[in-house]
Amino acid sequence: MPITDGGVDATAWRKNLPGIWFLDPGFSVTASTESSITELDGGNGILRYRGYPIEQLAEQSTFLEVSYLLLNGELPSAAEYDQWVYDVTHHTFIHENMRKRFYEGFHYDAHPMGMLVSAIAALSTFYPEAKDITDRENRFIQINRLVSKVPTLAAMAYRASIGMPFVYPDNSLSYTENFLSMMWRVAEPQYDADPVLAKALDVLLILHADHEQNCSTTAMRVVGSSHADPYSAAAGATAALYGPRHGGANEAVIHMLREIGSYDNIPSFIESVKNGEGRLMGFGHRVYKAYDPRARIVKAQADEVFKVTGRNPLLDIALKLEEIALEDDYFKSRNLYPNVDFYTGLIYQAMNFPMDMFTVLFAIGRMPGWLSHWNEAIEQDVRISRPRQVYVGEGERKYVPLSDR
Ligand code: CMC
């Protein structure tokens, strides 16, 4: 078999060697698709969206511009950018029934991620035309809606979880400011977000916007491969993000830092991780075998945020933990470095976001990435995702009636 671009084409393999399968649980060595959206070189700590380095985008761009880039392949012209911002801003409202009937049905202490997963799925019932995934223009109408409405759904989930009235979107604000307004506004006529905090949140959304074939994006592509509508596929992706090994890690990091509690407990905590009693949350990555470039940018943002909010007391424990882990053979030999989630939780906490909203923030950021992959897969006309298995269960046996068991 010829090796092309560092790998083997499984379609050619299948034709030449029919019946020979690969066992690859977790897809460690399986490329599920060709993609031209995000380039990730984990060995060298490189991350680029459509060719643009993440560092340049985080410093110079905005989340909506990056969203446009991911979805369309090119940076927008000034006119295209204005139109996109206008379109997103003017689709932030959701059907009143979602607020009145849907959100009010959740239990008072429902987790906002559970609400978000359900709310995104429920949107498909309001837009049945989304089922026509073959029409590009129709696809982009749904994409526009999802990018616009996910902050509204997210803020509503938060307000529902604390029993506060919902705040309607304010079209005069930027994407990030509007989200902060829907989160925090109480009785003031307009919510004035601190510009440093709004900027920091925008940068964090850029850093989360895409990360090629991660667990949730794979879920998006797999559900989308059955030609389900994009709301249902995005609900599947959001559910995949919920877990502590993926988007839930930022929340898990704060729990871990709290549990450690003080400098003195760090060595025994590290020992327990090395003994397999738990993981160092916010460390390690399937593809980064060097420092996650996003973690470096997040660390710099943390300094800016703490100038406004005051220093998060857990930061000192996190810094010490990182210092010790980076010197320790266990972590060095396994190439375990801080990932994006190691410091994001500290920023979110300093900005007053409750812990159960952290993964919701990740979902807002990742939405354009999921949709870019969904659209790319439709345009590639990929086959339905349907992996093989290696059956290791019982051979044929005869049914035994209940009375004889
Ligand atoms: N702490 C301690 N040991 C670890 C960790 C960790 N965080 N991560 C991996 N290892 C060890 C693991 O025990 C294994 O050791 P051994 O070879 O002795 O069995 C080795 O490193 C390889 O680990 P793996 O489980 O094969 O790695 P994976 O690629 O399957 O898992 C991961 C990747 C991110 C799920 C894992 O590193 C992890 O659980 N990290 C903590 C959770 C976390 O921070 N997740 C956020 C990921 S970044 C945001 C995102 O994209 O979602």
Side-chain angles (χ1 to χ4, degrees):
M1 294 300 303
I3 293 181
T4 321
D5 293 335
V8 172
D9 178 353
T11 314
W13 179 285
R14 200 179 67 226
K15 282 185 187 138
N16 290 336
L17 297 161
I20 305 285
W21 38 257
F22 302 97
L23 177 61
D24 182 20
F27 312 123
S28 302
V29 292
T30 300
S32 61
T33 187
E34 290 182 321
S35 178
S36 51
I37 300 171
T38 288
E39 186 183 0
L40 205 176
D41 176 350
N44 293 306
I46 288 171
L47 175 63
R48 298 184 193 128
Y49 297 161
R50 303 281 190 186
Y52 296 99
I54 191 68
E55 292 80 4
Q56 291 179 24
L57 294 170
E59 199 181 321
Q60 299 177 54
S61 188
T62 65
F63 175 63
L64 281 191
E65 190 182 42
V66 167
S67 305
Y68 184 100
L69 169 70
L70 288 168
L71 288 160
N72 296 282
E74 296 297 335
L75 285 167
S77 66
E80 286 165 339
Y81 181 64
D82 288 347
Q83 185 64 49
W84 170 237
V85 172
Y86 180 91
D87 290 344
V88 170
T89 308
H90 289 81
H91 288 89
T92 45
F93 275 70
I94 54 170
H95 196 288
E96 197 61 2
N97 277 355
M98 281 287 283
R99 184 181 73 76
K100 281 204 193 120
R101 295 175 192 272
F102 194 78
Y103 273 88
E104 286 178 7
F106 286 106
H107 201 47
Y108 71 93
D109 60 353
H111 195 292
M113 263 312 266
M115 287 192 254
L116 186 66
V117 171
S118 325
I120 292 174
L123 279 188
S124 77
T125 65
F126 290 91
Y127 304 111
E129 73 276 16
K131 283 186 177 56
D132 180 9
I133 52 115
T134 55
D135 181 63
R136 188 174 195 276
E137 200 185 325
N138 189 35
R139 285 204 301 278
F140 271 79
I141 291 172
Q142 316 315 323
I143 286 173
N144 186 162
R145 283 177 173 148
L146 269 160
V147 174
S148 306
K149 291 180 203 308
V150 75
T152 313
L153 298 178
M156 282 174 79
Y158 167 67
R159 303 285 288 207
S161 73
I162 55 158
M164 287 280 283
F166 298 122
V167 175
Y168 286 98
D170 181 339
N171 289 354
S172 68
L173 299 176
S174 74
Y175 190 81
T176 317
E177 289 167 338
N178 176 48
F179 173 62
L180 292 173
S181 161
M182 291 189 291
M183 284 289 298
W184 309 127
R185 194 169 135 205
V186 184
E188 60 276 43
Q190 190 169 52
Y191 180 80
D192 284 325
D194 185 294
V196 174
L197 302 187
K199 173 69 188 158
L201 187 57
D202 205 68
V203 170
L204 293 184
L205 294 179
I206 292 173
L207 299 184
H208 285 98
D210 195 41
H211 213 225
E212 50 117 305
Q213 310 308 320
N214 54 86
C215 177
S216 55
T217 302
T218 301
M220 182 90 192
R221 291 185 89 122
V222 169
V223 180
S225 79
S226 75
H227 288 185
D229 68 82
Y231 301 99
S232 304
T238 312
L241 188 73
Y242 197 175
R245 286 184 166 185
H246 190 11
N250 46 20
E251 189 180 334
V253 169
I254 301 294
H255 285 296
M256 176 188 74
L257 295 175
R258 279 193 176 157
E259 199 186 303
I260 295 173
S262 76
Y263 266 30
D264 298 345
N265 297 331
I266 295 177
S268 59
F269 177 77
I270 295 271
E271 278 314 304
S272 69
V273 169
K274 286 159 62 175
N275 291 335
E277 289 162 35
R279 289 200 165 187
L280 181 48
M281 300 311 286
F283 258 67
H285 203 277
R286 172 62 58 80
V287 280
Y288 287 121
K289 300 303 165 202
Y291 209 98
D292 181 340
R294 302 169 301 170
R296 205 168 272 126
I297 302 169
V298 173
K299 222 170 154 182
Q301 279 303 318
D303 294 337
E304 294 305 308
V305 168
F306 296 157
K307 278 183 205 155
V308 176
T309 61
R311 199 174 159 87
N312 188 327
L314 293 175
L315 178 67
D316 293 324
I317 299 182
L319 288 169
K320 193 72 193 165
L321 201 56
E322 178 186 341
E323 188 189 311
I324 294 179
L326 292 182
E327 288 299 311
D328 192 294
D329 268 352
Y330 175 94
F331 297 92
K332 278 180 11 192
S333 63
R334 290 169 177 78
N335 293 316
L336 299 171
Y337 295 90
N339 59 50
V340 69
D341 283 328
F342 195 63
Y343 289 104
T344 46
L346 292 171
I347 298 184
Y348 297 148
Q349 201 182 35
M351 288 170 80
N352 269 337
F353 285 105
M355 279 198 278
D356 55 11
M357 279 298 285
F358 292 2
T359 315
V360 171
L361 298 170
F362 193 153
I364 299 174
R366 188 54 58 87
M367 187 57 76
W370 289 334
L371 292 164
S372 306
H373 284 273
W374 170 75
N375 186 56
E376 183 180 67
I378 303 277
E379 284 177 357
Q380 289 168 340
D381 195 19
V382 290
R383 300 174 81 196
I384 189 167
S385 293
R386 205 304 185 186
R388 302 287 296 264
Q389 68 159 14
V390 181
Y391 178 70
V392 293
E394 301 285 348
E396 185 182 352
R397 5 187 210 172
K398 204 168 169 1
Y399 178 80
V400 181
L402 195 55
S403 56
D404 296 344
R405 275 179 247 154

